[in-house]
Amino acid sequence: MPAAQDTQRSKLKVYLGYAAGVGKTFQMLADGQAAAQRGLDLVVAYFQPHARPDTIAQIQGLEVLPHRKIDYRERTFEEMDTEVVLRRRPQIALVDELAHTNIPGSQRSKRWEDVQVLLDAGIEVWTTMNVQHIESLNDQIWQITGIQVRETVPDWVVRQAAEIVAVDVTPEALLNRLKRGAIYKPEMVEKALTGFFKGSNLGALRELTLRQAAHEVDLRQSAYDETSAFQGPRISEARPGGPTGDQPKERILIHITADPSTAMLIRRGRRVADYLHADCIALFVHRTAQLSELPVEERQAVEKHVRFARSLQIEPRVLGGSDVSKTVVEFARRNQVTQIFVAHSEGRLLERLRGKNFTENIVRLAQDLQVTVVADRSRRPGL
Amino acid sequence: MMRVSELPRPSPERLLLQAQAEENKQWGARLKIFLGYAPGVGKSYRMLDEARRRRERGEDVVVAATQLQQSDDLQAILRTLELVPPLETPEGQAVDVAAILGRSPQVCVIDPLAAQNPPGSRNPHRWQDVQELLRNGISVLTSINLLHVEEYREKVQAITGKQTTETIPKAFLLAADDIVIVDVPTDLCLSRLGEKLTSIGISNSRERQLSELRELALLLTAEVVDAQLESYVHAHGIEPVFGTHERFLVCITPECNAAPMIESGKRNKERFQGELYVVYVRRPGISDDENATIECSLEAARKAGATTEVLESDDPIAAITEFAHKKRITQIFIGHGSQQSWRDRFFGDPVLRLVRATEGIDVRVFPH
């Protein structure tokens, strides 16, 4: 969870790209050079040891802090040494690869968590990431590329950034760089060309990056309106033409189940809520409100979904009720929910006849509310 | 089975420019545009740096037009490149098209693109000079400031309060082989615009203005990239790519409560910077009253900025599904029916049938 904003907490700047090799790190270092020349106290806190020659050239003259070496399974890995950065206490720390997962044995499991520590200590952080690492885009990325990205950064981490910079390059130039061996080692190039870098993937990811950047820029505009200093984006507050003006605020309710499709539902709900400036809550319903009474597997799945919702800043509720669909719909009515998000479950005929399909039951029961049946994006639309 | 009326067509201007772009490609000439949201974002530097690298890799590069004011960085790069001097007239400068054609390089740098040529020049506008170079097999690197895109003239004017005289049609950008956006934070742009501004005190509204322009430039680039993606998909005969852009499809019937659905579609379109379609699947034997209701809703939809279409089919679910796939729709809005017919009881609720038919697309069901 992010710490409450106070005067001590510093700013985050994110260089956003769509693939390895678009030049995020290069751009960050070039800006770092300019800042250092202006006399700002800036250090490189983490930098990929196997960086590309152009990029390495760009680091000349900057102060690079030592990494932390961690032995894991008879190999040595390098991670950012957050303690070293805290002791050095620069104005600005450059941290490459925000989405990175730290090696087991590190103090924190994700690099973005280390970055939170630096920000809380009043150190400004500049960092890099690709659009496919944004949590709520995970299913869309899967749908577009057929690749499931494992390392993700929760949306709120990106949203708290004071500044997002889109680093753009044409796919053609990127492929040239790749073929010249400027991005991966030769033995990796062939794999890249048939995987993430293939055909339409790059164009699609690029479009997503540009739209995401435009959205992030848009979110930050309201901050200029009332205050002289940038206060961070406040997406749920009133803005001209916003929902609190002439329209009632939207409130989205996500129906959590033990089904794996729930993760997709939570991500999609979070994304739609952010774009619509809506509240977002989640609900799990069971015969009794005691999770401990569930069968082990089901309970673990539900707990995982509850934790996941919390990590995306959605408050989950657990209610007891013999009729799940009815309980969900009544909860929605009592809590001024405007939209219920349900998963597109495989509607088997037998299930339907027995009235066991929550999705269809909720659609039938909630005729006074909007119900969004969220698609299974692991499948491509097709006739 | 299905006939789509009112197919949106690209403007004749766009078709013409696209045809020209195809022709240019036969000669191997490519147009690459560096787009920025304001002066001072670093377009010229990015472009000249690329020209320098291309030259180092052995390409034959010349520079035919440069910005009047050049930073030290720019001058340093320019010294390494060959210049084809512009034609000087009392009314101003023009790119020397004849000299470039005579010199016949592989790549020509023209910075910036938006310029009116002096009276009596070969072409009235510099972008037409560029087209001539492309037609003659010379690739062009050029820079455009969002302020100079014709279709954004009003928006930009509303934001900045300034009038732009020289503009370039958006179709020119859409037909480019490559476009790159040069994006920097607004505060950096402001500081580069000059210390003059800081001394008089930059208001927050100024930074906000820049931020709005920045958003527009990012979205314009996304639009060009989307168009390129679509032609790539067509050219390679592969499955369309879903989900890069939110596209909303509102399906109306005479029975549904269309107004809130269209209103919500409009809001979603605005918030997601997406596209909005409103369709009606015409049933046989529709009454005059029902027809009038539909016409009224379609009119409201067009006012809300939607593309409207009337589909003819005796199977609405199939027609909607087919349309949704063709248009790469990501969310379908439908209304609950008022009562269930015997047919619905037999085949199942049409809402649920649609949900089952449209795999990969979200379906939002609205109250009656």
Side-chain angles (χ1 to χ4, degrees):
Chain A
M1 291 284 115
Q5 290 222 344
D6 59 46
T7 47
Q8 287 293 302
R9 197 176 156 84
S10 197
K11 288 194 301 184
L12 176 67
K13 174 153 125 182
V14 177
Y15 290 83
L16 186 71
Y18 66 89
V22 297
K24 299 177 298 289
T25 308
F26 186 89
Q27 185 65 47
M28 177 174 75
L29 291 170
D31 290 355
Q33 290 282 2
Q37 267 165 30
R38 286 199 307 274
L40 295 174
D41 180 24
L42 175 143
V43 302
V44 179
Y46 183 82
F47 177 66
Q48 290 289 95
H50 313 291
R52 304 173 261 285
D54 278 5
T55 313
I56 289 173
Q58 195 62 256
I59 209 167
Q60 298 307 317
L62 294 177
E63 179 182 343
V64 183
L65 297 184
H67 294 166
R68 185 181 159 89
K69 299 210 166 41
I70 297 168
D71 292 324
Y72 180 71
R73 293 193 178 156
E74 293 164 17
R75 277 182 62 197
T76 305
F77 293 86
E78 292 191 18
E79 299 289 0
M80 170 165 75
D81 197 330
T82 308
E83 293 309 310
V84 165
V85 188
L86 289 173
R87 276 201 299 279
R88 167 64 181 75
R89 208 161 248 298
Q91 259 177 295
I92 303 169
L94 273 49
V95 181
D96 211 7
E97 295 278 352
L98 183 66
H100 173 78
T101 301
N102 293 333
I103 215 72
S106 307
Q107 201 178 347
R108 280 164 287 270
S109 67
K110 298 283 187 177
R111 185 165 293 150
W112 62 259
E113 293 174 315
D114 287 317
V115 165
Q116 300 304 312
V117 173
L118 299 181
L119 293 170
D120 283 337
I123 299 169
E124 181 172 332
V125 176
W126 298 2
T127 189
T128 62
M129 74 180 282
N130 285 328
V131 77
Q132 53 268 33
H133 296 297
I134 293 177
E135 180 70 55
S136 73
L137 275 175
N138 200 265
D139 307 299
Q140 271 160 273
I141 298 290
W142 191 4
Q143 191 176 34
I144 291 167
T145 64
I147 292 166
Q148 197 176 15
V149 178
R150 302 279 172 197
E151 292 190 322
T152 56
V153 176
D155 295 50
W156 62 263
V157 175
V158 180
R159 207 185 316 142
Q160 70 176 197
E163 194 59 74
I164 305 281
V165 184
V167 181
D168 191 32
V169 70
T170 61
E172 199 211 10
L174 184 63
L175 288 171
N176 283 338
R177 281 181 201 174
L178 184 74
K179 287 171 190 157
R180 282 203 306 273
I183 301 173
Y184 294 123
K185 291 183 182 119
E187 60 270 24
M188 295 271 294
V189 170
E190 200 50 45
K191 199 177 156 227
L193 280 172
T194 52
F196 223 83
F197 283 75
K198 74 158 188 239
S200 51
N201 278 4
L202 292 179
L205 291 168
R206 185 179 177 212
E207 184 181 348
L208 270 181
T209 306
L210 293 164
R211 293 195 184 281
Q212 183 72 33
H215 174 62
E216 299 290 345
V217 167
D218 186 81
L219 287 181
R220 284 156 184 76
Q221 275 161 14
S222 59
Y224 298 121
D225 292 342
E226 307 119 49
T227 54
S228 53
F230 180 80
Q231 300 285 314
R234 290 160 301 165
I235 56 160
S236 54
E237 288 177 30
R239 36 180 268 158
T244 44
D246 42 358
Q247 275 150 344
K249 192 172 171 67
E250 289 218 44
R251 177 170 287 175
I252 289 173
L253 174 66
I254 297 169
H255 178 217
I256 289 183
T257 65
D259 195 89
S261 62
T262 297
M264 222 173 265
L265 197 60
I266 291 171
R267 284 191 284 260
R268 186 66 179 165
R270 176 77 269 170
R271 191 162 183 81
V272 172
D274 282 352
Y275 272 80
L276 296 181
H277 307 175
D279 287 337
C280 192
I281 49 180
L283 178 65
F284 172 72
V285 179
H286 186 64
R287 268 181 293 107
T288 71
Q290 300 305 315
L291 285 185
S292 55
E293 288 179 22
L294 289 173
V296 178
E297 265 180 47
E298 196 180 343
R299 193 194 63 208
Q300 283 173 344
V302 171
E303 281 172 350
K304 195 174 97 187
H305 294 148
V306 163
R307 276 197 305 277
F308 182 54
R310 284 214 180 94
S311 78
L312 292 184
Q313 299 189 323
I314 299 165
E315 199 36 51
R317 297 275 302 272
V318 177
L319 279 186
S322 51
D323 183 334
V324 172
S325 308
K326 203 169 144 220
T327 310
V328 171
V329 173
E330 281 168 0
F331 175 88
R333 287 189 188 124
R334 270 201 315 279
N335 290 280
Q336 292 84 44
V337 164
T338 53
Q339 248 194 88
I340 307 177
F341 268 55
V342 292
H344 181 164
S345 58
E346 285 296 293
R348 285 197 205 92
L349 187 63
L350 205 63
E351 225 179 35
R352 282 211 301 280
L353 290 175
R354 286 180 182 157
K356 285 229 167 128
N357 188 313
F358 298 145
T359 295
E360 304 201 347
N361 289 343
I362 289 172
V363 169
R364 256 189 229 107
L365 284 171
Q367 301 225 353
D368 52 336
L369 295 168
Q370 292 174 29
V371 181
T372 299
V373 184
V374 173
D376 178 352
R377 285 185 165 73
S378 63
R379 296 151 186 273
R380 278 170 174 247
L383 288 170
Chain B
M1 184 182 71
M2 187 176 85
R3 187 172 61 84
V4 177
S5 57
E6 288 183 56
L7 259 183
R9 292 185 184 283
S11 68
E13 196 177 31
R14 182 174 167 193
L15 286 174
L16 185 66
L17 282 161
Q18 267 174 347
Q20 282 173 357
E22 287 305 314
E23 203 175 298
N24 297 336
K25 266 184 211 110
Q26 293 175 359
W27 297 96
R30 292 177 73 91
L31 170 63
K32 182 163 183 173
I33 291 172
F34 293 78
L35 176 74
Y37 64 87
V41 297
K43 294 182 295 295
S44 299
Y45 184 80
R46 253 311 272 283
M47 179 169 64
L48 285 168
D49 195 46
E50 174 160 340
R52 176 186 60 79
R53 277 182 283 120
R54 283 182 181 226
R55 203 183 117 89
E56 282 169 9
R57 286 204 294 271
E59 288 182 43
D60 183 19
V61 183
V62 302
V63 177
T66 58
Q67 300 278 354
L68 295 176
Q69 288 182 332
Q70 293 152 7
S71 65
D72 295 346
D73 286 355
L74 283 186
Q75 282 175 10
I77 300 180
L78 280 169
R79 276 195 292 273
T80 70
L81 294 168
E82 178 183 337
L83 183 72
V84 176
L87 291 168
E88 301 283 352
T89 75
E91 288 90 3
Q93 291 184 340
V95 169
D96 192 344
V97 176
I100 302 165
L101 291 178
R103 166 68 179 73
S104 188
Q106 271 174 294
V107 184
C108 179
V109 179
I110 292 182
D111 184 22
L113 181 66
Q116 216 154 12
N117 288 331
S121 299
R122 213 173 156 104
N123 299 304
H125 301 280
R126 190 175 275 180
W127 61 268
Q128 293 163 322
D129 293 339
V130 167
Q131 290 190 309
E132 202 176 336
L133 296 179
L134 290 166
R135 275 200 301 278
N136 284 279
I138 299 169
S139 291
V140 175
L141 303 182
T142 190
S143 69
I144 299 183
N145 186 327
L146 179 79
L147 315 173
H148 296 294
V149 179
E150 172 66 35
E151 284 76 359
Y152 288 74
R153 187 204 287 259
E154 275 174 37
K155 275 186 190 168
V156 168
Q157 226 166 285
I159 295 170
T160 63
K162 272 190 196 155
Q163 190 103 24
T164 324
T165 47
E166 178 60 16
T167 56
I168 294 145
K170 185 170 155 188
F172 187 90
L173 278 76
L174 284 166
D177 302 285
D178 294 310
I179 187 167
V180 166
I181 185 163
V182 184
D183 184 44
V184 299
T186 45
D187 53 349
L188 196 60
C189 176
L190 269 178
S191 69
R192 282 189 200 158
L193 276 173
E195 276 69 43
K196 297 184 286 236
L197 286 171
T198 29
S199 65
I200 54 167
I202 296 152
S203 66
N204 289 314
S205 71
R206 196 170 176 90
E207 193 159 352
R208 192 198 160 107
Q209 286 166 4
L210 282 175
S211 173
E212 285 173 19
L213 296 175
R214 188 179 171 202
E215 185 182 351
L216 285 178
L218 285 162
L219 290 171
L220 172 59
T221 315
E223 197 181 321
V224 177
V225 170
D226 192 73
Q228 288 172 348
L229 196 58
E230 211 169 345
S231 18
Y232 181 93
V233 163
H234 278 301
H236 291 76
I238 53 176
E239 283 278 297
V241 180
F242 277 76
T244 52
H245 188 191
E246 294 293 337
R247 293 180 167 89
F248 303 90
L249 170 59
V250 177
C251 305
I252 58 169
T253 61
E255 297 84 29
C256 80
N257 192 0
M261 291 168 66
I262 292 167
E263 178 55 36
S264 177
K266 176 173 180 264
R267 193 163 72 250
N268 276 271
K269 167 192 147 82
E270 285 165 0
R271 287 288 160 77
F272 283 91
Q273 297 287 352
E275 283 170 25
L276 176 63
Y277 295 89
V278 176
V279 303
Y280 164 60
V281 186
R282 195 191 303 278
R283 282 187 312 230
I286 184 175
S287 75
D288 287 352
D289 274 1
E290 286 172 328
N291 215 358
T293 310
I294 286 298
E295 278 312 319
C296 191
S297 295
L298 290 176
E299 183 52 34
R302 282 186 288 269
K303 277 203 187 114
T307 305
T308 60
E309 305 212 9
V310 176
L311 311 175
E312 308 277 351
S313 169
D314 46 16
D315 185 348
I317 309 266
I320 290 167
T321 309
E322 190 181 337
F323 182 86
H325 286 123
K326 202 170 64 200
K327 295 292 182 190
R328 299 188 286 158
I329 297 297
T330 58
Q331 293 189 45
I332 298 177
F333 291 7
I334 48 168
H336 267 296
S338 52
Q339 69 269 329
Q340 290 208 328
S341 66
W342 64 269
R343 189 189 145 97
D344 296 343
R345 271 195 293 278
F346 190 75
F347 290 107
D349 186 332
V351 164
L352 297 177
R353 279 197 294 143
L354 183 71
V355 167
R356 283 176 225 132
T358 51
E359 198 156 73
I361 302 174
D362 294 347
V363 177
R364 196 193 299 186
V365 189
F366 279 72
H368 179 67

